[in-house]
Amino acid sequence: MIFGSKQIIRLHNNDNVVIALSDLAEGSKLNEFDVTLKTYVPRGHKVAIKPLVKGDNVIRYGQIIGQSTQDIASGEHVHVQNMGMGEHLQDYAFSKQSEPLPTVSLPRTFNGYRRLNGKVGTRNYLGILTSVNCAGSVARFIEEAANKEHFLKNYPNIDGIVPIVHSTGCGMSGQGEGYQTLHRTLSGYAKNPNFGGILLIGLGCEVMQVSSLVDNQTPDSHSKEGSDTTFRYMTIQTEGGTRKTIEKGLAELHLLANEANKAVRAPAPVSEIMVGMQCGGSDGYSGITANPALGYASDLLVRHGGTTILSETSEVYGAEHLLTRRAISKEVGQKLIDRIHWWEDYCARNGGEMDNNPSPGNKNGGLTTILEKSLGAVAKGGSAPLTDVYLFGETIDKKGFVFMDSPGFDPCSVTGQVASGANMIIFTTGRGSVSGYKPTPCIKLATNTEMYSRLQEDMDLNCGDIVTGGISIEEKGTELFELIIRIASGEETKSEALGFGGAEFVPWQIGAVM
């Protein structure tokens, strides 16, 4: 990054636009480029520092982010009024830049909950998992009944009870992509190491049968003794209705709690941390501050043997070539391109467009095309080799930096990462975000100081001081890495303190609703 004055930043020597670091008035002078602003330019937006003719590439991060749709003079505001998507064919150069990161000489530890299958949780919750929407209210009734009797007072090592309810599970095909995706998601939540016990509830007649989910639970998912100590299940129809299911559910929760309460925090290697990385409400600062700081922290975690997950396939579109070059093999790189092609087809058959992103909020923050947004989003992945590519909710079985296919809709994408095994989430935001993702703690990073000051009660870390305070990306990434270890060891995040996480379970629904 090349900071000129504190007014602007140029991200690469080849860029023909710079980013405003504050609101710039018409007539403002950018002396280092001998440019005078033709119009007002909001903070986070782009200014041309060279004249462009219609059809020229607009360059940011040293990469193409679109083409000019009309002639643009030096000093003009570059945005939706004069810039568009254009062509973006890329050279995938599979594995050409895949270089292992150096391992650390002194491995770190955190205090986590070790499960008998070897996984380590950062939290210790009981989950009430539902196979179908029809069981959602009863799951919540069981939680409410437990709260009324002050259930957790006798189980001090349990963090809480999480009803996992959703809007699907029936009215769908019993085979194919939609069914398989939901099955992976529910099965993955049941196995997430942040749960000390799971109570699975179905109605009884749904497409997503409880029996199919039970069959997918291996005896050592959480416990050596088998599914009877940490995994219980029932259907409302078999139990005899709502009241009887609530009574039986409470009894089952006590059985689960007796086992889960035995868990205590103990030192575990940082290599057991698996972080799902997200960005939402992005702005022009996202690719400058929070995302690259997270990328640096991601590399630190990978160097310690941990795992980081990049997702939101529709929001790496146009920057996928930066990931394929880091793939450990051509086969891994091709898996990502296959998902990109799947998305192109998915959008075509559903009347959507891959450039439907950025959202209105993103555009207000200065982002113009999906190419620009994607290049900033990919910065969350640091520089580590891409170890593998996974389907939504597929169990992640390799260490290092990986990719999991998902939509860009944040709650849905996080749901997939938690199902895949993430025991922590880190979420960067420029416009502001209020959400949480039980059972997984979520660290919120603010991209700019102004928003951080306004939403301090929701933000865990300000990355805006990379611009306003002269803090380096390396310093901020190291600060974040230390925060990851503290949160993994039990320190509360802002979203946890506010009670978020009960409404953000959003499985990806693919296919017809029948």
Side-chain angles (χ1 to χ4, degrees), residues 20-52:
L21 298 180
S22 60
D23 294 343
L24 301 179
E26 180 181 350
S28 297
K29 304 283 188 181
L30 307 182
N31 293 325
E32 52 268 60
F33 299 108
D34 192 26
V35 167
T36 300
L37 264 63
K38 308 294 185 189
T39 59
Y40 162 77
V41 178
R43 178 176 61 86
H45 286 240
K46 297 175 288 296
V47 181
I49 55 172
K50 298 178 180 178
L52 302 172

Side-chain angles (χ1 to χ4, degrees), residues 30-322:
L30 307 182
N31 293 325
E32 52 268 60
F33 299 108
D34 192 26
V35 167
T36 300
L37 264 63
K38 308 294 185 189
T39 59
Y40 162 77
V41 178
R43 178 176 61 86
H45 286 240
K46 297 175 288 296
V47 181
I49 55 172
K50 298 178 180 178
L52 302 172
V53 299
K54 182 178 179 179
D56 277 354
N57 291 329
V58 180
I59 308 296
R60 177 180 177 175
Y61 306 110
Q63 301 283 334
I64 298 169
I65 62 170
Q67 276 83 41
S68 54
T69 57
Q70 62 189 52
D71 292 350
I72 301 174
S74 295
E76 278 196 55
H77 179 205
V78 179
H79 200 32
V80 292
Q81 75 280 1
N82 53 18
M83 173 183 158
M85 181 84 157
E87 294 297 326
H88 63 286
L89 296 177
Q90 305 288 3
D91 177 9
Y92 296 140
F94 293 112
S95 304
K96 297 297 184 184
Q97 297 172 2
S98 181
E99 297 182 6
L101 299 179
T103 57
V104 295
S105 55
L106 294 173
R108 300 284 298 277
T109 62
F110 73 104
N111 289 321
Y113 297 98
R114 185 172 289 281
R115 308 304 180 188
L116 291 178
N117 67 348
K119 301 295 184 182
V120 181
T122 63
R123 296 296 185 266
N124 190 35
Y125 281 102
L126 294 179
I128 308 175
L129 180 66
T130 55
S131 63
V132 66
N133 172 261
C134 310
S137 290
V138 171
R140 293 197 186 279
F141 294 158
I142 294 172
E143 181 210 18
E144 291 167 4
N147 290 337
K148 285 179 182 177
E149 68 169 49
H150 303 290
F151 182 94
L152 293 177
K153 68 181 179 182
N154 296 318
Y155 306 108
N157 293 332
I158 297 176
D159 291 314
I161 301 170
V162 185
I164 306 165
V165 303
H166 52 98
S167 61
T168 184
C170 207
M172 62 190 302
S173 172
Q175 57 186 350
E177 281 183 320
Y179 180 88
Q180 292 163 4
T181 299
L182 180 60
H183 194 279
R184 284 196 306 271
T185 303
L186 297 176
S187 298
Y189 261 70
K191 295 177 181 178
N192 189 283
N194 285 2
F195 281 123
I198 287 286
L199 173 61
L200 172 63
I201 299 176
L203 177 61
C205 55
E206 59 270 21
V207 171
M208 184 59 64
Q209 283 286 293
V210 164
S211 58
S212 72
L213 295 167
V214 171
D215 290 343
N216 198 55
Q217 294 301 307
T218 57
D220 65 347
S221 289
H222 291 288
S223 170
K224 196 179 291 183
E225 291 80 12
S227 62
D228 60 337
T229 59
T230 60
F231 183 77
R232 308 287 291 180
Y233 57 92
M234 61 175 58
T235 64
I236 298 166
Q237 291 169 349
T238 299
E239 296 303 326
T242 299
R243 183 181 58 80
K244 291 180 180 179
T245 305
I246 294 170
E247 291 174 355
K248 180 70 178 295
L250 276 173
E252 298 286 13
L253 277 185
H254 279 290
L255 290 173
L256 293 169
N258 285 329
E259 185 69 25
N261 194 57
K262 296 175 185 177
V264 294
R265 287 191 181 274
V270 164
S271 58
E272 293 301 323
I273 296 176
M274 183 183 293
V275 172
M277 301 184 293
Q278 291 286 322
C279 56
S282 301
D283 67 353
Y285 278 50
S286 295
I288 300 172
T289 60
N291 287 358
L294 175 52
Y296 189 84
S298 171
D299 283 348
L300 283 176
L301 187 59
V302 169
R303 291 179 60 198
H304 279 80
T307 307
T308 58
I309 314 166
L310 186 67
S311 295
E312 301 178 288
T313 314
S314 55
E315 294 186 11
V316 303
Y317 188 67
E320 64 270 19
H321 63 293
L322 301 181

